[in-house]
Amino acid sequence: MVMVMASSAATTSTSSSTLLLRLLCLCTVLPVTLQAARPTNITIGALFAFDSVIGRSARTAIQLAVDDVNRDPTVLSGTNLSVIFQDTKCSGFVATIQAGMELMEKEVVAVVGPESSVIAHVVSNVANELRVPLVSFAATDPALASSQYPYLVRAVHDDRFQMAAVADIVSLYGWREVTAVYVDDDYGRGGVAALTDALQPTRARVTYKTAFPRGADRATLANLLQLANSMESRVFVVHASPDSGLDVFAAAHDLGMMVAEYAWIATDWFAAAAIDGAPAAASESNNNIIQGVLTLRQYIPDSDAKASLVSRLAGAAIPPSSNNDATVAANAYSLFAYDSVWIAAHAIDQFLDEAAGNVTFSADPNIRDANGSALRLSALRVFDQGDQLLRKVMLANFTGVTGQVAFQFDADGNNGTGSGTLINPAYEILNVAGGNTGVRRVAYWSNYTRLSVDAPTLLDDGGPPPNSTSTSTTPQQQQQMSNVTWPGGMTTTPRGWVFADNGTPLRVGVPYRTSDTEFVSKDDTSKDGVSGYCIDVFEAALQQLPYPVPVSFVLFGDGVTSPSYDELVQKVADGFFDAAVGDISIVTNRTRVVDFTQPYIDSGLVIVSTVKSSSSDEWAFLKPFTPELWGTFVAMCVFVGAVIWILEHRHNEEFRGSLWNQMRTLFWFSFSAIFFTQREETISSLGRFVVIMWLVVVLIITQSYTASLTSILTVQQLSTGIQGINDLLASNDPIGYQQGSFAGSYLINELGVKASRLRELAIEEYADRLQRGPRDGGVVAIVDELPYVELFLSSNCQFTMVGQEFTKGGWGFAFPHESPLAVDLSTAILKLSETGDLQRIHDNWLNQGTCDTQSQGTGGGALRLSVANFGGLFLICGVACGVALLIYFARILFQFYQYHRHGTTDGGAKEEEEDGGGGPFPDKERSMRWRLATRQSSFRDLMYFVDMKESEVKAAMAVRSSSTKSTARSRSDTSDGPSSP
């Protein structure tokens, strides 16, 4: 039993060891098995035009990339990458057949290409159906980023970014109009659409489009450019293909369009065709055909890998199948083609790891050959793992010869269909300077730095540095470029616009006024058929322009009533007129439809009212002062006279005498001082001080009285009581305004005036309606623009402006939106103002009247003076009088005390003698009665003392002082007598 159990245990142990050994062997063999599951060969396709400028260099770059991938042991370990080249021959039909019938049936897992946006639109549909990813290195049409093409991934920056760079260049130089010259296909149309969108935030626009067919000859191009040259814009953006785009510049050179005042900007095709090594283009450049052109080139940072690849491309031979004798020239597209192969290789490597080498194709049930068809559609196979490989392509993240290679994520952070946009777009801005200078780099552009003279820098992870400014928020002043040589060898920036040279003069609408013809009117004697202040200002401004502008004036209106200015402005917006010149006010609703120049005259709304001369009745002399001021002034005269009498009474004989004489002197001095005719002289210092202060007050008051009385007797007074806009709005009387003016709508819409109160009048009716007044079928006032009112008042002296302008505005010339003439004429108007010519034109036309509008004033008459106007003067004079009285009475009391002290000492001695030294009244009751009588006697003494002359007081005090001394000596002698021997 024990032996059996032991044997069983031994058997179990042996089985476990065998199982463990088998598991170890399986783990060792499994990686080898998985590795062996990878296919030994995998094929990609390459689809492009072999004989194109891009295709010649791209073919060599793609082949070099395939060779490098196969030599790299870290990529596609054990799997050989092969490539099948297919020539599209620049034909969408051929591309469809080649891609669908020949390339796809060879079961390629990915396709590098196509190079053309036109072919990409076609082939992408085949790729969508067969689920084969396309990695394009040159298809830049922005429309290809749509979710309509999920299997198209672009290893190149699309045209949205380079058009943003073009828009920044246009904005930097202040150009407002651009002419687009482009090839009429998906690539050209998509690029121009992107340019239009990019220009919109800069307030510039594409004003003319010149589309030419693919393969157009120079004669066709010349005809199209001739039409473009007849337009206003002199800024041309050329978006063509490298194979035919240079013919555009050859035709432009023949037409004389590669000279000064022109600006030419070419997109990145130009760099590949004319800068990166085409011999024919180089010879044309030497002949200065393309001198002054600005072009973009996709920016690729310098690196050892880039330098090595460029060197290898330069030494490569042209493939035998090429029909072109040109040598291979490395350009940006060839570098992107090289990286496109590596994108596919990395994606295939990751895909094979994930799919365990499972690469299968299956028939598409939607594709079958029709009866008798020889297209072999049934041979096409769907790549079963195509969507899986597409995801790996989108996750590409490595450093290639073009820099960091990675694709933009969707808004939700996931790589999805239609999101194949390469990160960190950047461009070089190159300038073909011509001569020995050659091509210069004048700026860089990236989506986070915009235009800059410094190369864009990226972090190690390929992202922009922190705090980078985005395209939409960088201020204009932060953008900069180096100096540019423009066509014709000019270094000054072209204006970018001239008057259209299409044989048609500028059609200018002019209002046919029936009144105030000084501003603008029909004039059969003038060569232009019109004349007036506005016409002279317009023509003087045209003379300031550096280019000729032929004009043709067209009258607008019937000549019977003044036309509607809103309708005239709308005619400009509708294109019926090219401009409108006249007395056109710049108001909000008009600026919405047209652009105005700088105002050349102020034209705020003002009020006109009737005035009458002030009546000079027998009491007119009292009107300068209010009754309160008259009363205060008289009281002040009496008060000051009393103060002077008090101060001078003890010193001045002229202020003494009988009571009647003193009162007469007081009032006489008070009122005679008003006319500075007082006969009495002041002797005391305090009296002179008060007189000086009072005379200053009298001088100011009398001068103010004279001025106010003069104004009252001469100024015109309002007869309506309206003194400003507030009074006008508060009343219910009718208000007049000029026919065709915006004043009526302004009063209704902005100020809330009832329409029933408004009367639309011709200017000839102003005087009659104002004189009749609101009670007799007239108006209480008229609201009109300042220039009309000034001209009206210059010959109608019985009316005046009331209050101030209650709106601010001006007259300007109207042009269609975005017209450069509006900007140039604004500058010209400012020059006229600075030189004084604008004022001379004004004086020549608008100072024709006989009335002095300045002397009419603003109405309302002179204001009466009140106490408040002189309160400060009265206060100063009153304080001066109070201080003088305080000093005077203090002095009086001190003298009275001295005087009374001498008198009391003498009397007391006598009383003591009579009473035996015991006081006058030893009895208490008799003593109190004596004290009361003494106080009454003291007040009478004080009044008597105040009335005494100063000289008498001093003499009395001297006598009393000597008497006191004599009495003291007598007492001294009496007390010393008994003790003498």
Side-chain angles (χ1 to χ4, degrees):
M1 184 68 177
V2 174
M3 293 178 63
V4 170
M5 293 179 61
S7 176
S8 177
T11 303
T12 303
S13 177
T14 302
S15 300
S16 299
S17 299
T18 302
L19 179 61
L20 180 60
L21 182 60
R22 289 177 179 178
L23 288 175
L24 290 175
C25 292
L26 180 61
C27 293
T28 304
V29 173
L30 183 59
V32 178
T33 304
L34 293 177
Q35 181 70 27
R38 281 180 174 241
T40 58
N41 185 77
I42 197 162
T43 305
I44 63 173
L47 194 64
F48 54 89
F50 291 172
D51 283 334
S52 65
V53 171
I54 295 176
R56 283 191 294 271
S57 59
R59 181 171 185 177
T60 304
I62 292 172
Q63 186 60 62
L64 291 175
V66 171
D67 295 340
D68 292 343
V69 167
N70 290 327
R71 281 194 297 266
D72 192 339
T74 63
V75 181
L76 295 177
S77 303
T79 299
N80 182 72
L81 181 67
S82 60
V83 59
I84 300 175
F85 291 97
Q86 290 287 357
D87 188 1
T88 63
K89 302 184 185 300
C90 296
S91 169
F93 173 76
V94 174
T96 303
I97 299 300
Q98 295 287 345
M101 301 304 297
E102 296 184 24
L103 188 60
M104 296 300 184
E105 70 179 11
K106 296 176 182 178
E107 298 185 347
V108 295
V109 296
V111 176
V112 176
E115 75 179 88
S116 167
S117 298
V118 176
I119 296 175
H121 279 278
V122 177
V123 175
S124 293
N125 293 305
V126 178
N128 291 346
E129 184 66 25
L130 301 181
R131 289 187 286 182
V132 176
L134 300 177
V135 184
S136 177
F137 56 88
T140 57
D141 179 12
L144 292 171
S146 169
S147 58
Q148 180 182 356
Y149 309 105
Y151 280 84
L152 176 66
V153 179
R154 286 180 296 180
V156 67
H157 304 300
D158 69 58
D159 289 334
R160 287 176 301 167
F161 301 106
Q162 74 166 330
M163 290 308 177
V166 171
D168 281 344
I169 295 173
V170 171
S171 177
L172 179 67
Y173 292 114
W175 297 323
R176 303 293 297 277
E177 296 190 351
V178 170
T179 296
V181 182
Y182 61 99
V183 59
D184 193 9
D185 57 17
D186 292 329
Y187 161 74
R189 290 189 294 269
V192 172
L195 175 62
T196 302
D197 294 339
L199 288 174
Q200 187 172 3
T202 68
R203 297 194 63 189
R205 61 190 180 122
V206 177
T207 55
Y208 189 75
K209 298 178 181 179
T210 299
F212 59 89
R214 295 178 61 88
D217 56 21
R218 289 196 181 183
T220 302
L221 292 173
N223 291 335
L224 294 173
L225 290 176
Q226 185 68 51
L227 292 175
N229 196 43
S230 66
M231 302 301 155
E232 298 174 347
S233 173
R234 286 296 177 265
V235 179
F236 294 85
V237 177
V238 183
H239 189 55
S241 67
D243 299 283
S244 60
L246 291 176
D247 289 337
V248 173
F249 290 98
H253 182 268
D254 294 340
L255 294 173
M257 298 172 64
M258 301 299 296
V259 295
E261 295 303 321
Y262 285 84
W264 291 87
I265 304 174
T267 53
D268 58 356
W269 66 267
F270 184 88
I275 295 177
D276 291 337
S283 63
E284 291 180 340
S285 178
N286 292 334
N287 293 328
N288 294 326
I289 291 180
I290 55 176
Q291 181 189 37
V293 175
L294 278 177
T295 185
L296 288 80
R297 180 169 63 188
Q298 302 214 36
Y299 173 64
I300 299 174
D302 291 332
S303 64
D304 293 340
K306 173 186 173 183
S308 175
L309 180 59
V310 170
S311 176
R312 293 166 65 191
L313 287 173
I318 291 294
S321 60
S322 175
N323 296 322
N324 196 295
D325 295 333
T327 59
V328 172
N331 53 52
Y333 293 108
S334 62
L335 303 185
F336 282 112
Y338 180 88
D339 276 350
S340 297
V341 175
W342 278 94
I343 291 173
H346 282 292
I348 293 171
D349 184 48
Q350 297 175 19
F351 157 72
L352 291 178
D353 286 342
E354 184 178 283
N358 186 23
V359 180
T360 60
F361 294 84
S362 60
D364 188 346
N366 297 322
I367 301 176
R368 63 178 61 90
D369 289 318
N371 293 332
S373 173
L375 295 178
R376 298 173 55 194
L377 296 179
S378 58
L380 298 177
R381 293 291 185 265
V382 175
F383 181 23
D384 296 329
Q385 294 82 26
D387 55 346
Q388 190 176 357
L389 178 60
L390 176 62
R391 286 194 296 270
K392 298 302 179 182
V393 170
M394 296 300 300
L395 291 175
N397 191 352
F398 64 93
T399 301
V401 296
T402 60
Q404 188 67 25
V405 178
F407 294 100
Q408 198 75 15
F409 283 83
D410 288 337
D412 59 1
N414 298 319
N415 282 111
T417 58
S419 62
T421 303
L422 205 61
I423 64 171
N424 300 326
Y427 292 86
E428 297 175 277
I429 314 299
L430 307 177
N431 179 214
V432 182
N436 297 326
T437 306
V439 178
R440 297 186 302 112
R441 182 191 297 114
V442 294
Y444 297 89
W445 184 96
S446 73
N447 63 333
Y448 59 91
T449 62
R450 295 178 69 174
L451 291 176
S452 174
V453 294
D454 299 322
T457 58
L458 300 175
L459 301 179
D460 293 338
D461 60 359
N467 302 322
S468 295
T469 308
S470 66
T471 304
S472 60
T473 59
T474 299
Q476 175 65 32
Q477 58 268 23
Q478 292 184 0
Q479 302 194 59
Q480 54 182 328
M481 291 176 58
S482 300
N483 294 330
V484 175
T485 300
W486 302 99
M490 303 297 293
T491 57
T492 56
T493 303
R495 185 171 55 251
W497 178 89
V498 296
F499 182 73
D501 185 18
N502 53 16
T504 304
L506 200 68
R507 184 177 170 87
V508 179
V510 176
Y512 192 174
R513 291 193 59 85
T514 59
S515 59
D516 281 356
T517 55
E518 292 87 349
F519 294 109
V520 60
S521 66
K522 180 181 180 181
D523 187 356
D524 294 331
T525 62
S526 171
K527 63 180 180 64
D528 296 321
V530 291
S531 64
Y533 165 70
C534 301
I535 301 298
D536 281 4
V537 172
F538 179 69
E539 292 181 339
L542 291 181
Q543 295 298 321
Q544 297 290 325
L545 300 180
Y547 48 87
V549 180
V551 297
S552 173
F553 295 103
V554 181
L555 292 171
F556 177 74
D558 56 11
V560 178
T561 59
S562 295
S564 169
Y565 284 62
D566 288 338
E567 292 181 8
L568 174 59
V569 170
Q570 189 61 47
K571 289 285 188 182
V572 176
D574 295 340
F576 184 81
F577 291 127
D578 299 317
V581 172
D583 46 340
I584 306 171
S585 298
I586 305 173
V587 294
T588 303
N589 64 317
R590 295 173 185 171
T591 57
R592 294 191 181 104
V593 295
V594 296
D595 283 347
F596 282 93
T597 62
Q598 169 82 16
Y600 57 87
I601 189 173
D602 293 332
S603 64
L605 291 178
V606 294
I607 301 172
V608 182
S609 182
T610 306
V611 295
K612 62 180 180 180
S613 299
S614 176
S615 57
S616 301
D617 55 27
E618 61 274 16
W619 300 105
F621 67 92
L622 295 176
K623 291 183 179 180
F625 291 171
T626 62
E628 293 81 5
L629 180 57
W630 278 119
T632 302
F633 184 60
V634 170
M636 200 68 185
C637 289
V638 175
F639 171 71
V640 172
V643 171
I644 296 297
W645 178 83
I646 292 172
L647 299 176
E648 292 292 322
H649 179 70
R650 301 184 68 205
H651 304 275
N652 198 335
E653 287 292 341
E654 294 182 351
F655 287 87
R656 302 186 65 83
S658 63
L659 178 62
W660 169 250
N661 184 62
Q662 293 184 55
M663 293 297 294
R664 184 180 59 186
T665 301
L666 185 152
F667 284 101
W668 169 255
F669 183 86
S670 299
F671 292 99
S672 63
I674 298 175
F675 310 101
F676 306 98
T677 58
Q678 68 276 12
R679 295 172 299 175
E680 298 80 9
E681 295 184 1
T682 53
I683 297 176
S684 67
S685 300
L686 292 175
R688 291 175 178 176
F689 170 71
V690 172
V691 168
I692 290 174
M693 297 301 298
W694 175 241
L695 291 180
V696 171
V697 173
V698 167
L699 175 64
I700 295 174
I701 292 178
T702 53
Q703 292 296 325
S704 300
Y705 172 86
T706 302
S708 181
L709 180 61
T710 302
S711 176
I712 288 174
L713 295 178
T714 58
V715 76
Q716 293 177 320
Q717 302 294 306
L718 292 174
S719 62
T720 61
I722 302 295
Q723 297 189 8
I725 185 62
N726 293 329
D727 295 334
L728 189 63
L729 296 177
S731 71
N732 292 316
D733 295 323
I735 303 171
Y737 69 95
Q738 185 184 167
Q739 288 178 347
S741 172
F742 74 97
S745 61
Y746 181 85
L747 291 172
I748 295 174
N749 299 328
E750 302 296 332
L751 301 182
V753 178
K754 295 180 179 178
S756 58
R757 291 183 58 193
L758 300 181
R759 306 288 185 269
E760 189 174 18
L761 307 174
I763 293 182
E764 293 82 358
E765 301 178 82
Y766 280 8
D768 176 64
R769 292 297 186 96
L770 286 171
Q771 288 174 339
R772 288 164 60 183
R775 303 291 179 266
D776 193 22
V779 294
V780 67
I782 288 176
V783 174
D784 205 350
E785 297 176 66
L786 181 62
Y788 302 121
V789 169
E790 288 180 339
L791 187 61
F792 172 74
L793 294 180
S794 66
S795 57
N796 292 272
C797 307
Q798 68 272 33
F799 308 108
T800 188
M801 283 187 292
V802 177
Q804 304 295 324
E805 294 179 67
F806 57 90
T807 66
K808 293 295 182 181
W811 291 351
F813 306 131
F815 291 89
H817 274 317
E818 309 298 337
S819 172
L821 257 181
V823 178
D824 289 353
L825 280 179
S826 294
T827 304
I829 290 172
L830 290 175
K831 291 180 180 178
L832 292 176
S833 178
E834 293 170 356
T835 59
D837 292 338
L838 198 60
Q839 185 62 42
R840 283 190 285 272
I841 296 174
H842 177 278
D843 296 341
N844 182 49
W845 283 96
L846 303 182
N847 285 346
Q848 305 292 330
T850 58
C851 297
D852 183 2
T853 57
Q854 297 298 325
S855 66
Q856 290 176 324
T858 58
L863 296 176
R864 303 182 70 183
L865 301 174
S866 64
V867 177
N869 297 113
F870 303 103
L873 285 174
F874 290 148
L875 178 62
I876 293 173
C877 185
V879 170
C881 292
V883 171
L885 289 175
L886 183 63
I887 296 174
Y888 174 77
F889 282 116
R891 183 186 300 171
I892 289 294
L893 290 175
F894 179 77
Q895 288 182 346
F896 179 70
Y897 170 76
Q898 294 291 335
Y899 178 81
H900 183 67
R901 189 186 68 175
H902 291 297
T904 301
T905 302
D906 185 45
K910 293 178 181 180
E911 291 168 356
E912 288 176 0
E913 291 175 357
E914 295 173 0
D915 196 40
F921 301 104
D923 184 80
K924 183 176 181 180
E925 181 178 352
R926 293 181 60 194
S927 177
M928 292 180 64
R929 288 198 299 270
W930 179 82
R931 291 176 183 276
L932 180 62
T934 301
R935 290 175 182 172
Q936 294 175 353
S937 176
S938 297
F939 181 74
R940 287 194 299 271
D941 290 345
L942 176 62
M943 293 296 99
Y944 176 76
F945 181 80
V946 170
D947 189 56
M948 292 175 62
K949 292 183 178 180
E950 184 75 17
S951 58
E952 294 177 354
V953 171
K954 291 181 178 180
M957 290 181 65
V959 171
R960 291 197 176 198
S961 177
S962 60
S963 175
T964 301
K965 293 179 180 178
S966 299
T967 303
R969 284 196 297 270
S970 299
R971 289 181 179 181
S972 176
D973 294 340
T974 303
S975 61
D976 294 340
S979 61
S980 59

